Amino acid sequence: MARDIQITFDCADPAALADFWADALGYELQKPPGNFVSWDDALDAMGVPLERRNDASGIVDPDEAGPRLFFQKVPEGKQAKNRMHLDVRAAPGLDGAERMAALEAEAERLVARGATRLERHDPAPPFGAGHIVMADPEGNEFCLD
């Protein structure tokens, strides 16, 4: 039996990182629970103090196809290279120069949103279609693939 998964990011600013990844993936902020109109209304009702309201955030695929991403505040910063990373499929079905142009355009868009471009790997047939290594605003590596 397949399991549903959630991908969790430890981070310093859950709201900002959730916003970045929602934009990068076409996701949206998870709706507040119950009949609450806003997260502020829900957090008020739960008695969450203002200083704790950026302790966590979640984003979801509006089509319910992809996993939920959860962002939780931790006191320590990122220490080393990721042992696992996301591949953002930004050029599906494209090859060669057309593929790399699409990846470059997406890299430029995400840099404007706070990402950092780390490395470009040009196509290297037969197995390497080409990709760009990036880091999100808190330094978590991911690839535009």
Side-chain angles (χ1 to χ4, degrees):
M1 173 168 77
R3 301 267 195 263
D4 189 20
I5 66 165
Q6 168 176 283
I7 299 169
T8 300
F9 288 74
D10 290 348
C11 56
D13 187 346
L17 207 55
D19 183 56
F20 171 83
W21 280 105
D23 183 56
L25 299 175
Y27 273 39
E28 60 188 28
L29 185 65
Q30 185 169 349
K31 293 181 180 17
N35 294 325
F36 292 105
V37 175
S38 72
W39 273 103
D40 280 333
D41 291 344
L43 296 172
D44 283 343
M46 293 176 206
V48 176
L50 290 175
E51 67 272 10
R52 299 287 314 269
R53 295 200 178 180
N54 192 25
D55 282 2
S57 188
I59 61 172
V60 295
D61 178 353
D63 297 327
E64 300 180 358
R68 177 178 189 256
L69 274 63
F70 182 70
F71 304 86
Q72 61 187 9
K73 184 180 262 185
V74 296
E76 71 278 356
K78 185 174 177 296
Q79 301 294 317
K81 183 181 182 302
N82 299 4
R83 294 285 299 184
M84 193 246 345
H85 68 267
L86 301 180
D87 284 345
V88 178
R89 307 303 300 259
L94 301 179
D95 292 314
E98 186 180 19
R99 173 186 174 77
M100 295 311 293
L103 296 180
E104 289 289 352
E106 184 64 0
E108 187 174 307
R109 186 181 81 79
L110 294 176
V111 165
R113 294 275 295 125
T116 302
R117 179 192 174 103
L118 300 177
E119 300 173 1
R120 175 182 162 133
H121 295 267
D122 288 317
F127 298 116
H131 64 281
I132 299 175
V133 181
M134 306 283 293
D136 73 15
E138 291 202 16
N140 300 300
E141 295 90 1
F142 66 96
C143 291
L144 295 176
D145 179 18

